[in-house]
Amino acid sequence: DSRRAGSLPPPSPPAAVSQVTVRDALNQALDEELERDERVFLLGEEVAQYDGAYKISRGLWKKYGDKRVIDTPISEMGFAGIAVGAAMAGLRPVCEFMTFNFSMQAIDQVINSAAKTCYMSAGSIPVPIVFRGPNGAAAGVGAQHSQCFAAWYGHCPGLKVVSPWSSEDAKGLLKAAIRDDNPVVMLESELLYSVPFEMSEQAQSKEFVVPIGKAKIEKPGTHVTLVAHSRPVGHCMEAAAVLSKEGVECEVINLRTIRPMDIETVEASVAKTNHLVTVEGGWPQFGVGAEICARIMEGPAFNYLDAPAVRVTGADVPMPYAKILEDNCLPQVKDIVFAVKKTLNI
């Protein structure tokens, strides 16, 4: 009889890991935070009755109604202003831009109203707002819709700026952003929305958050440090797999947060690998990679570098429309492999 004293309990099942798309992870985060805190509401173009331009807010209008999920006119300056005012009055708005290129219409609200108010009021007026939506290049949408704003918003004190890659990043960072008392800019990638990633049971729990300001080592390695954010993290992982077959072990760091930047994780990695390559889809001048290189040069990790740091970036041109030109404008796996071999002199 298996129930006799001393018999072993049955082995516990392995922690459930399921495949979840970035879209569903964001939807989960919004649903959980709308349910958890009645001050949270979502507004933007087509977020309600149409279920969101990218279906991120699917089902939320039916569940929470007109007061919590609000369709707005096509006026970023208007609805971003309403959202900032609501945040100053004690609500916690999530303001969706159909693409961050359109946030230019509302940059006065984001920078002059949201980012600076807490400081200018000596801390007495917090502005707990999230500006979210797709950032960077999509596919075949021309120069006006293909720009990365990580460096723009990362430049501004008063803002926190997050840039997720995986479904776990997307869910955890959005929940952390909604709960934060500061304005947070969340730069998502349209090309990642339908990509599935593994999510643990823990990551799917209602209390799971990813702390803002902490990078994640996606792959440990010993020969070279690769630092990226958003979609290029995936390219770095692919490049690392290619290089691994040639005996080069890359350490891949997923920044997750642009501001405040977790330079300590990068420094610790550079001290171990002695080489640094940064990868981003944005333009090179004054970019995220430029900032990482400057911080490494100014800090203790500089003495560990055995070769100059190398940046892999988007091309320094407005995005062309033609697919072959678009592909050549954005960092590809082969570009990362080439940069690593160059810095390692192989």
Short mmCIF file of all heavy atoms in Angstrom, two decimals, residues 231-288:
data_model
loop_
_atom_site.label_atom_id
_atom_site.label_comp_id
_atom_site.label_asym_id
_atom_site.label_seq_id
_atom_site.Cartn_x
_atom_site.Cartn_y
_atom_site.Cartn_z
N ARG A 231 13.78 44.96 -29.50
CA ARG A 231 13.93 43.87 -30.47
C ARG A 231 15.38 43.44 -30.72
O ARG A 231 15.65 42.25 -30.91
CB ARG A 231 13.26 44.31 -31.78
CG ARG A 231 13.12 43.19 -32.79
CD ARG A 231 12.08 43.53 -33.86
NE ARG A 231 12.15 42.57 -34.95
CZ ARG A 231 12.73 42.79 -36.12
NH1 ARG A 231 13.31 43.95 -36.36
NH2 ARG A 231 12.74 41.87 -37.06
N PRO A 232 16.35 44.36 -30.75
CA PRO A 232 17.74 43.92 -30.97
C PRO A 232 18.28 42.94 -29.93
O PRO A 232 19.29 42.27 -30.20
CB PRO A 232 18.53 45.24 -30.95
CG PRO A 232 17.54 46.26 -31.45
CD PRO A 232 16.24 45.83 -30.84
N VAL A 233 17.64 42.81 -28.76
CA VAL A 233 18.07 41.78 -27.80
C VAL A 233 17.97 40.40 -28.47
O VAL A 233 18.87 39.57 -28.34
CB VAL A 233 17.23 41.81 -26.50
CG1 VAL A 233 17.64 40.67 -25.56
CG2 VAL A 233 17.37 43.15 -25.80
N GLY A 234 16.88 40.20 -29.21
CA GLY A 234 16.70 38.93 -29.92
C GLY A 234 17.79 38.70 -30.95
O GLY A 234 18.30 37.58 -31.11
N HIS A 235 18.15 39.77 -31.66
CA HIS A 235 19.25 39.66 -32.65
C HIS A 235 20.55 39.29 -31.95
O HIS A 235 21.35 38.50 -32.47
CB HIS A 235 19.43 40.99 -33.40
CG HIS A 235 18.25 41.39 -34.24
ND1 HIS A 235 17.24 40.52 -34.56
CD2 HIS A 235 17.93 42.57 -34.83
CE1 HIS A 235 16.35 41.14 -35.31
NE2 HIS A 235 16.74 42.38 -35.48
N CYS A 236 20.79 39.88 -30.77
CA CYS A 236 22.00 39.56 -30.00
C CYS A 236 22.02 38.09 -29.58
O CYS A 236 23.06 37.44 -29.62
CB CYS A 236 22.11 40.45 -28.77
SG CYS A 236 22.53 42.15 -29.15
N MET A 237 20.86 37.58 -29.18
CA MET A 237 20.77 36.16 -28.79
C MET A 237 21.08 35.25 -29.98
O MET A 237 21.77 34.24 -29.86
CB MET A 237 19.37 35.85 -28.24
CG MET A 237 19.05 36.59 -26.94
SD MET A 237 20.06 36.07 -25.54
CE MET A 237 19.19 34.57 -25.05
N GLU A 238 20.57 35.64 -31.17
CA GLU A 238 20.85 34.86 -32.38
C GLU A 238 22.33 34.93 -32.74
O GLU A 238 22.95 33.92 -33.09
CB GLU A 238 20.01 35.38 -33.55
CG GLU A 238 18.53 35.02 -33.46
CD GLU A 238 17.74 35.60 -34.63
OE1 GLU A 238 18.19 35.47 -35.78
OE2 GLU A 238 16.68 36.21 -34.38
N ALA A 239 22.90 36.14 -32.66
CA ALA A 239 24.32 36.31 -32.95
C ALA A 239 25.17 35.50 -31.97
O ALA A 239 26.17 34.88 -32.36
CB ALA A 239 24.70 37.80 -32.89
N ALA A 240 24.76 35.49 -30.70
CA ALA A 240 25.50 34.73 -29.68
C ALA A 240 25.48 33.24 -29.99
O ALA A 240 26.47 32.54 -29.80
CB ALA A 240 24.90 35.00 -28.29
N ALA A 241 24.33 32.76 -30.51
CA ALA A 241 24.23 31.33 -30.87
C ALA A 241 25.16 31.00 -32.04
O ALA A 241 25.82 29.95 -32.05
CB ALA A 241 22.78 30.99 -31.22
N VAL A 242 25.23 31.92 -33.02
CA VAL A 242 26.12 31.72 -34.18
C VAL A 242 27.58 31.70 -33.71
O VAL A 242 28.37 30.82 -34.09
CB VAL A 242 25.91 32.85 -35.22
CG1 VAL A 242 26.99 32.81 -36.30
CG2 VAL A 242 24.52 32.75 -35.84
N LEU A 243 27.93 32.68 -32.87
CA LEU A 243 29.33 32.82 -32.43
C LEU A 243 29.75 31.69 -31.50
O LEU A 243 30.92 31.29 -31.47
CB LEU A 243 29.51 34.17 -31.74
CG LEU A 243 29.53 35.37 -32.71
CD1 LEU A 243 29.14 36.66 -32.00
CD2 LEU A 243 30.90 35.51 -33.35
N SER A 244 28.78 31.17 -30.75
CA SER A 244 29.07 30.07 -29.83
C SER A 244 29.64 28.85 -30.58
O SER A 244 30.52 28.15 -30.09
CB SER A 244 27.80 29.69 -29.08
OG SER A 244 28.06 28.67 -28.16
N LYS A 245 29.13 28.64 -31.81
CA LYS A 245 29.62 27.52 -32.63
C LYS A 245 31.07 27.73 -33.04
O LYS A 245 31.75 26.78 -33.43
CB LYS A 245 28.74 27.37 -33.87
CG LYS A 245 27.34 26.89 -33.55
CD LYS A 245 26.48 26.76 -34.80
CE LYS A 245 25.09 26.27 -34.42
NZ LYS A 245 24.04 26.88 -35.23
N GLU A 246 31.51 29.00 -32.99
CA GLU A 246 32.90 29.29 -33.35
C GLU A 246 33.78 29.47 -32.10
O GLU A 246 34.89 30.00 -32.17
CB GLU A 246 32.95 30.55 -34.22
CG GLU A 246 32.17 30.40 -35.52
CD GLU A 246 32.22 31.64 -36.39
OE1 GLU A 246 33.28 32.31 -36.41
OE2 GLU A 246 31.21 31.95 -37.05
N GLY A 247 33.22 29.11 -30.95
CA GLY A 247 34.00 29.16 -29.72
C GLY A 247 34.00 30.51 -29.01
O GLY A 247 34.77 30.72 -28.07
N VAL A 248 33.15 31.43 -29.46
CA VAL A 248 33.07 32.74 -28.81
C VAL A 248 31.81 32.79 -27.96
O VAL A 248 30.69 32.61 -28.46
CB VAL A 248 33.03 33.88 -29.86
CG1 VAL A 248 32.82 35.23 -29.17
CG2 VAL A 248 34.29 33.90 -30.70
N GLU A 249 31.98 33.00 -26.66
CA GLU A 249 30.83 33.03 -25.75
C GLU A 249 30.47 34.47 -25.40
O GLU A 249 31.22 35.16 -24.70
CB GLU A 249 31.13 32.22 -24.48
CG GLU A 249 31.26 30.72 -24.71
CD GLU A 249 30.04 30.09 -25.38
OE1 GLU A 249 28.90 30.56 -25.11
OE2 GLU A 249 30.20 29.16 -26.19
N CYS A 250 29.32 34.93 -25.90
CA CYS A 250 28.86 36.30 -25.66
C CYS A 250 27.99 36.35 -24.40
O CYS A 250 27.17 35.47 -24.17
CB CYS A 250 28.00 36.80 -26.82
SG CYS A 250 28.82 36.75 -28.41
N GLU A 251 28.17 37.40 -23.62
CA GLU A 251 27.23 37.68 -22.53
C GLU A 251 26.23 38.70 -23.05
O GLU A 251 26.62 39.78 -23.51
CB GLU A 251 27.99 38.25 -21.31
CG GLU A 251 27.05 38.57 -20.15
CD GLU A 251 27.70 38.26 -18.79
OE1 GLU A 251 28.03 37.08 -18.55
OE2 GLU A 251 27.86 39.19 -18.01
N VAL A 252 24.95 38.34 -23.05
CA VAL A 252 23.92 39.22 -23.61
C VAL A 252 23.15 39.90 -22.49
O VAL A 252 22.56 39.23 -21.64
CB VAL A 252 22.95 38.45 -24.53
CG1 VAL A 252 21.87 39.39 -25.08
CG2 VAL A 252 23.70 37.78 -25.67
N ILE A 253 23.18 41.24 -22.48
CA ILE A 253 22.46 42.01 -21.45
C ILE A 253 21.26 42.70 -22.09
O ILE A 253 21.40 43.44 -23.07
CB ILE A 253 23.38 43.05 -20.79
CG1 ILE A 253 24.52 42.35 -20.05
CG2 ILE A 253 22.60 43.94 -19.84
CD1 ILE A 253 25.52 43.30 -19.41
N ASN A 254 20.09 42.43 -21.53
CA ASN A 254 18.85 43.08 -21.94
C ASN A 254 18.65 44.28 -21.00
O ASN A 254 18.36 44.10 -19.82
CB ASN A 254 17.71 42.06 -21.80
CG ASN A 254 16.33 42.67 -22.00
OD1 ASN A 254 16.18 43.83 -22.37
ND2 ASN A 254 15.31 41.86 -21.76
N LEU A 255 18.84 45.48 -21.51
CA LEU A 255 18.80 46.68 -20.65
C LEU A 255 17.48 46.82 -19.89
O LEU A 255 17.45 47.25 -18.75
CB LEU A 255 19.02 47.95 -21.49
CG LEU A 255 20.45 48.44 -21.70
CD1 LEU A 255 20.42 49.73 -22.50
CD2 LEU A 255 21.19 48.64 -20.39
N ARG A 256 16.38 46.55 -20.57
CA ARG A 256 15.03 46.70 -20.02
C ARG A 256 14.66 48.16 -19.72
O ARG A 256 13.58 48.61 -20.03
CB ARG A 256 14.83 45.86 -18.74
CG ARG A 256 14.65 44.39 -19.01
CD ARG A 256 14.45 43.63 -17.70
NE ARG A 256 13.84 42.32 -17.90
CZ ARG A 256 13.61 41.46 -16.92
NH1 ARG A 256 13.96 41.77 -15.68
NH2 ARG A 256 13.05 40.30 -17.17
N THR A 257 15.55 48.88 -19.04
CA THR A 257 15.28 50.28 -18.70
C THR A 257 16.34 51.17 -19.34
O THR A 257 17.54 50.90 -19.22
CB THR A 257 15.30 50.48 -17.17
OG1 THR A 257 14.38 49.58 -16.56
CG2 THR A 257 14.89 51.90 -16.81
N ILE A 258 15.90 52.23 -19.99
CA ILE A 258 16.82 53.20 -20.61
C ILE A 258 17.19 54.28 -19.58
O ILE A 258 18.32 54.73 -19.50
CB ILE A 258 16.16 53.87 -21.84
CG1 ILE A 258 15.65 52.81 -22.83
CG2 ILE A 258 17.13 54.83 -22.52
CD1 ILE A 258 16.70 51.89 -23.39
N ARG A 259 16.19 54.70 -18.80
CA ARG A 259 16.43 55.68 -17.74
C ARG A 259 15.58 55.32 -16.54
O ARG A 259 14.38 55.20 -16.69
CB ARG A 259 16.07 57.09 -18.24
CG ARG A 259 16.31 58.19 -17.20
CD ARG A 259 15.86 59.56 -17.69
NE ARG A 259 16.35 60.55 -16.75
CZ ARG A 259 17.39 61.35 -16.98
NH1 ARG A 259 18.02 61.32 -18.12
NH2 ARG A 259 17.78 62.21 -16.06
N PRO A 260 16.14 55.11 -15.35
CA PRO A 260 17.57 55.19 -15.02
C PRO A 260 18.30 53.96 -15.55
O PRO A 260 17.78 52.84 -15.46
CB PRO A 260 17.57 55.20 -13.49
CG PRO A 260 16.31 54.49 -13.10
CD PRO A 260 15.30 54.80 -14.17
N MET A 261 19.48 54.17 -16.12
CA MET A 261 20.21 53.08 -16.76
C MET A 261 21.01 52.27 -15.73
O MET A 261 21.68 52.83 -14.88
CB MET A 261 21.15 53.66 -17.82
CG MET A 261 21.80 52.61 -18.70
SD MET A 261 22.84 53.37 -19.94
CE MET A 261 21.64 53.76 -21.20
N ASP A 262 20.91 50.96 -15.86
CA ASP A 262 21.63 50.05 -14.94
C ASP A 262 23.06 49.84 -15.47
O ASP A 262 23.37 48.80 -16.05
CB ASP A 262 20.87 48.72 -14.85
CG ASP A 262 21.55 47.72 -13.94
OD1 ASP A 262 22.55 48.09 -13.27
OD2 ASP A 262 21.09 46.56 -13.88
N ILE A 263 23.90 50.83 -15.25
CA ILE A 263 25.26 50.73 -15.79
C ILE A 263 26.11 49.75 -14.98
O ILE A 263 27.08 49.19 -15.48
CB ILE A 263 25.92 52.14 -15.90
CG1 ILE A 263 26.99 52.15 -17.00
CG2 ILE A 263 26.48 52.59 -14.56
CD1 ILE A 263 26.46 52.02 -18.41
N GLU A 264 25.71 49.51 -13.72
CA GLU A 264 26.49 48.60 -12.86
C GLU A 264 26.54 47.19 -13.44
O GLU A 264 27.58 46.53 -13.41
CB GLU A 264 25.89 48.56 -11.43
CG GLU A 264 25.99 49.84 -10.65
CD GLU A 264 24.95 50.89 -11.05
OE1 GLU A 264 23.95 50.53 -11.71
OE2 GLU A 264 25.16 52.08 -10.72
N THR A 265 25.40 46.71 -13.97
CA THR A 265 25.37 45.37 -14.56
C THR A 265 26.29 45.30 -15.78
O THR A 265 27.00 44.31 -15.99
CB THR A 265 23.92 45.00 -14.96
OG1 THR A 265 23.15 44.91 -13.76
CG2 THR A 265 23.85 43.68 -15.69
N VAL A 266 26.31 46.38 -16.57
CA VAL A 266 27.18 46.43 -17.75
C VAL A 266 28.65 46.46 -17.31
O VAL A 266 29.50 45.75 -17.85
CB VAL A 266 26.86 47.64 -18.64
CG1 VAL A 266 27.75 47.66 -19.89
CG2 VAL A 266 25.38 47.63 -19.06
N GLU A 267 28.94 47.28 -16.29
CA GLU A 267 30.33 47.38 -15.79
C GLU A 267 30.83 46.03 -15.28
O GLU A 267 31.97 45.62 -15.59
CB GLU A 267 30.40 48.42 -14.66
CG GLU A 267 30.34 49.84 -15.16
CD GLU A 267 30.31 50.87 -14.03
OE1 GLU A 267 29.92 50.51 -12.89
OE2 GLU A 267 30.67 52.02 -14.28
N ALA A 268 30.00 45.33 -14.52
CA ALA A 268 30.40 44.03 -13.96
C ALA A 268 30.68 43.03 -15.09
O ALA A 268 31.62 42.24 -15.03
CB ALA A 268 29.31 43.49 -13.05
N SER A 269 29.87 43.12 -16.14
CA SER A 269 30.05 42.22 -17.28
C SER A 269 31.33 42.54 -18.05
O SER A 269 32.10 41.64 -18.42
CB SER A 269 28.84 42.31 -18.21
OG SER A 269 29.01 41.48 -19.33
N VAL A 270 31.58 43.84 -18.27
CA VAL A 270 32.79 44.26 -19.00
C VAL A 270 34.04 43.87 -18.21
O VAL A 270 35.06 43.47 -18.78
CB VAL A 270 32.75 45.77 -19.29
CG1 VAL A 270 34.11 46.28 -19.79
CG2 VAL A 270 31.67 46.08 -20.33
N ALA A 271 33.97 43.96 -16.88
CA ALA A 271 35.11 43.56 -16.05
C ALA A 271 35.43 42.08 -16.24
O ALA A 271 36.57 41.65 -16.09
CB ALA A 271 34.80 43.85 -14.58
N LYS A 272 34.39 41.30 -16.60
CA LYS A 272 34.57 39.86 -16.80
C LYS A 272 35.01 39.54 -18.23
O LYS A 272 35.90 38.71 -18.44
CB LYS A 272 33.23 39.16 -16.48
CG LYS A 272 33.27 37.65 -16.63
CD LYS A 272 32.01 36.99 -16.10
CE LYS A 272 30.81 37.24 -17.00
NZ LYS A 272 29.66 36.38 -16.65
N THR A 273 34.39 40.21 -19.22
CA THR A 273 34.64 39.83 -20.62
C THR A 273 35.72 40.69 -21.30
O THR A 273 36.27 40.28 -22.32
CB THR A 273 33.36 39.96 -21.47
OG1 THR A 273 33.01 41.36 -21.58
CG2 THR A 273 32.20 39.20 -20.85
N ASN A 274 35.95 41.89 -20.80
CA ASN A 274 36.97 42.82 -21.33
C ASN A 274 36.64 43.38 -22.72
O ASN A 274 37.49 43.99 -23.35
CB ASN A 274 38.36 42.18 -21.36
CG ASN A 274 38.70 41.50 -20.04
OD1 ASN A 274 38.82 40.28 -19.98
ND2 ASN A 274 38.80 42.28 -18.98
N HIS A 275 35.43 43.14 -23.20
CA HIS A 275 35.03 43.66 -24.52
C HIS A 275 33.56 44.07 -24.48
O HIS A 275 32.76 43.44 -23.80
CB HIS A 275 35.22 42.61 -25.61
CG HIS A 275 36.65 42.17 -25.77
ND1 HIS A 275 37.18 41.12 -25.04
CD2 HIS A 275 37.65 42.65 -26.54
CE1 HIS A 275 38.46 40.98 -25.38
NE2 HIS A 275 38.77 41.88 -26.29
N LEU A 276 33.22 45.13 -25.23
CA LEU A 276 31.85 45.64 -25.21
C LEU A 276 31.36 45.98 -26.61
O LEU A 276 32.04 46.69 -27.37
CB LEU A 276 31.78 46.91 -24.33
CG LEU A 276 30.46 47.68 -24.33
CD1 LEU A 276 29.34 46.84 -23.71
CD2 LEU A 276 30.61 49.01 -23.57
N VAL A 277 30.16 45.47 -26.96
CA VAL A 277 29.47 45.85 -28.19
C VAL A 277 28.05 46.25 -27.81
O VAL A 277 27.35 45.49 -27.13
CB VAL A 277 29.43 44.68 -29.21
CG1 VAL A 277 28.59 45.05 -30.43
CG2 VAL A 277 30.85 44.30 -29.63
N THR A 278 27.62 47.45 -28.20
CA THR A 278 26.23 47.88 -27.94
C THR A 278 25.44 47.77 -29.24
O THR A 278 25.98 48.00 -30.33
CB THR A 278 26.16 49.32 -27.41
OG1 THR A 278 26.52 50.23 -28.46
CG2 THR A 278 27.06 49.53 -26.21
N VAL A 279 24.16 47.41 -29.11
CA VAL A 279 23.32 47.21 -30.29
C VAL A 279 21.98 47.93 -30.08
O VAL A 279 21.35 47.78 -29.03
CB VAL A 279 23.05 45.71 -30.55
CG1 VAL A 279 22.28 45.51 -31.86
CG2 VAL A 279 24.36 44.92 -30.58
N GLU A 280 21.57 48.72 -31.09
CA GLU A 280 20.27 49.41 -30.99
C GLU A 280 19.75 49.70 -32.39
O GLU A 280 20.50 49.77 -33.36
CB GLU A 280 20.43 50.73 -30.22
CG GLU A 280 21.30 51.75 -30.94
CD GLU A 280 21.67 52.95 -30.07
OE1 GLU A 280 20.76 53.60 -29.57
OE2 GLU A 280 22.88 53.18 -29.91
N GLY A 281 18.43 49.89 -32.49
CA GLY A 281 17.82 50.21 -33.77
C GLY A 281 17.81 51.69 -34.07
O GLY A 281 17.48 52.11 -35.18
N GLY A 282 18.15 52.51 -33.07
CA GLY A 282 18.11 53.97 -33.24
C GLY A 282 19.32 54.50 -33.97
O GLY A 282 20.24 53.76 -34.33
N TRP A 283 19.33 55.81 -34.18
CA TRP A 283 20.43 56.46 -34.88
C TRP A 283 21.67 56.52 -33.99
O TRP A 283 21.56 56.52 -32.76
CB TRP A 283 20.02 57.88 -35.29
CG TRP A 283 18.96 57.90 -36.34
CD1 TRP A 283 18.89 57.14 -37.47
CD2 TRP A 283 17.78 58.74 -36.36
NE1 TRP A 283 17.77 57.45 -38.20
CE2 TRP A 283 17.07 58.43 -37.54
CE3 TRP A 283 17.28 59.72 -35.50
CZ2 TRP A 283 15.86 59.07 -37.89
CZ3 TRP A 283 16.08 60.36 -35.85
CH2 TRP A 283 15.39 60.03 -37.03
N PRO A 284 22.88 56.61 -34.61
CA PRO A 284 24.11 56.57 -33.81
C PRO A 284 24.37 57.83 -32.98
O PRO A 284 24.80 57.72 -31.82
CB PRO A 284 25.21 56.37 -34.86
CG PRO A 284 24.63 56.77 -36.16
CD PRO A 284 23.15 56.53 -36.06
N GLN A 285 24.10 59.01 -33.54
CA GLN A 285 24.53 60.23 -32.85
C GLN A 285 23.71 60.49 -31.58
O GLN A 285 22.49 60.55 -31.64
CB GLN A 285 24.42 61.44 -33.80
CG GLN A 285 25.03 62.69 -33.20
CD GLN A 285 25.48 63.68 -34.27
OE1 GLN A 285 26.00 63.28 -35.31
NE2 GLN A 285 25.28 64.94 -34.03
N PHE A 286 24.39 60.65 -30.46
CA PHE A 286 23.77 60.86 -29.14
C PHE A 286 22.82 59.71 -28.76
O PHE A 286 21.85 59.91 -28.05
CB PHE A 286 23.01 62.19 -29.09
CG PHE A 286 23.79 63.35 -29.59
CD1 PHE A 286 23.40 64.03 -30.74
CD2 PHE A 286 24.95 63.75 -28.95
CE1 PHE A 286 24.15 65.09 -31.23
CE2 PHE A 286 25.69 64.82 -29.43
CZ PHE A 286 25.30 65.49 -30.57
N GLY A 287 23.12 58.49 -29.21
CA GLY A 287 22.22 57.36 -28.99
C GLY A 287 22.43 56.67 -27.65
O GLY A 287 23.29 57.06 -26.85
N VAL A 288 21.65 55.61 -27.42
CA VAL A 288 21.74 54.83 -26.19
C VAL A 288 23.13 54.20 -26.08
O VAL A 288 23.76 54.21 -25.03
CB VAL A 288 20.63 53.76 -26.15
CG1 VAL A 288 20.79 52.84 -24.93
CG2 VAL A 288 19.25 54.41 -26.13
#
